[in-house]
Each structure stands twice: as structure tokens, then as C-alpha cells.
Amino acid sequence: MNLRAATVAFAITLVTLAGASAGCVQISGGAVEVSWEVQANGRAIIDCSCASPKIATVRIDLVGRGGTIQGATPCAGQAQCEFSCQRKTGATPFDIPETKGGETYGIKVVAVGADGIDLPNNYAPDAVYRTVSRGQPTEVEAFLLDVGCDNECGGMNNSGVCARP
């Protein structure tokens, strides 16, 4: 192989390695993935600002139960655990400490208003308990946020969807 061919091969190898490292995810634990739906009186709300009270973001709330994680709250104060309500899904980074025998995390979602204040708990269901494994996403069935339909959105329309006119 001549010098030019070796240089080109070396450059291609560097570009390939740089591209591969850009897609890597740092894993120091497991992840928790949740979904949510917003409804009023059993009917869908498409726009979270039509909810009454209005929901700006949804936060994943985790509380450790048992063993060495008892009372641990790995999402407390972590911006990466809060998502726009419109997304209807969110996942933590892979940094949730894994559970061992007899340990679980209580997983729930908390609706947060535009003012940054948590909405009352009665709008979201109780926590579900799951184990977390390093390098694996822990998926939870969809949470249902049951709120009212804001009058600014025209109330319930004929199709049964709470949306802006």
C-alpha cells in the first residue's frame, strides 16, 4: 500500500470512529420510559393547553422502595426527567441505579402547570412498581391524566375531543 492509500484509509477509519462515537449513549444504570394520555370525562384532549388546569410539562417521578435504594429519588431536580406534555412520552437517561433482589421503584407521572407548580395528585394515577436493569429501558404502561376541558377551548365539541375551535 502506498503512502497516499494509507493516508486515505487512516482518514476513513478516523471518520468512521468519530461517527460511531457520536451516536453512543452513556450507560451508568437503567432507564425508565413512560407514556401518558390526557383526557376530560373519558374524551381525548389533543392540546395540553386545553386541559383544565392547563398542563405545561409532565415529570417522571421515581421513588426507591426496599434495600439500598429505599427512598432514593433519582429524578428529583433533574431537567432530563421533565417533558413537554404534548410529547405524550418521555424517558430518563440510562442513569437510574439498577434494582437488586426485593427492590423496586415507584414510578408515576406528575403534571406541572405553566407556572412550574405541580398540579394536585388527583389528576394522575398512583405509582406502579417496577425493577430497573442496567442498560435496559423499563417501560411502563400509559398513565391517564384525567382533567377537565378548558372553556377557552370551546368545551367539548361534537366529536368528543377537547380542542381549540
Side-chain angles (χ1 to χ4, degrees):
M1 181 182 291
N2 65 32
L3 181 60
R4 180 175 163 85
T7 303
V8 169
F10 180 71
I12 290 172
T13 301
L14 284 178
V15 169
T16 302
L17 289 174
S21 68
C24 291
V25 174
Q26 183 176 354
I27 297 176
S28 60
V32 173
E33 181 178 0
V34 300
S35 299
W36 57 89
E37 288 295 324
V38 182
Q39 76 169 18
N41 302 321
R43 297 179 178 190
I45 293 181
I46 306 298
D47 181 346
C48 291
S49 68
C50 282
S52 178
K54 291 176 179 23
I55 303 171
T57 60
V58 173
R59 184 179 69 247
I60 298 174
D61 195 20
L62 303 172
V63 178
R65 181 170 77 171
T68 61
I69 65 165
Q70 179 67 37
T73 55
C75 274
Q78 301 297 318
Q80 62 266 32
C81 290
E82 196 162 315
F83 309 91
S84 165
C85 179
Q86 294 298 114
R87 285 183 56 174
K88 300 195 180 199
T89 188
T92 69
F94 283 89
D95 64 358
I96 306 302
E98 68 181 312
T99 55
K100 308 262 189 294
E103 297 176 336
T104 58
Y105 283 101
I107 304 167
K108 68 179 198 170
V109 294
V110 177
V112 181
D115 57 3
I117 306 260
D118 293 358
L119 298 177
N121 284 338
N122 57 320
Y123 296 112
D126 293 334
V128 296
Y129 292 87
R130 300 284 186 274
T131 58
V132 171
S133 299
R134 180 181 169 82
Q136 299 294 316
T138 297
E139 296 177 2
V140 179
E141 58 276 354
F143 287 97
L144 182 62
L145 303 175
D146 194 16
V147 296
C149 180
D150 194 284
N151 288 332
E152 290 179 9
C153 294
M156 293 297 211
N157 64 18
N158 292 336
S159 67
V161 174
C162 174
R164 297 197 182 281

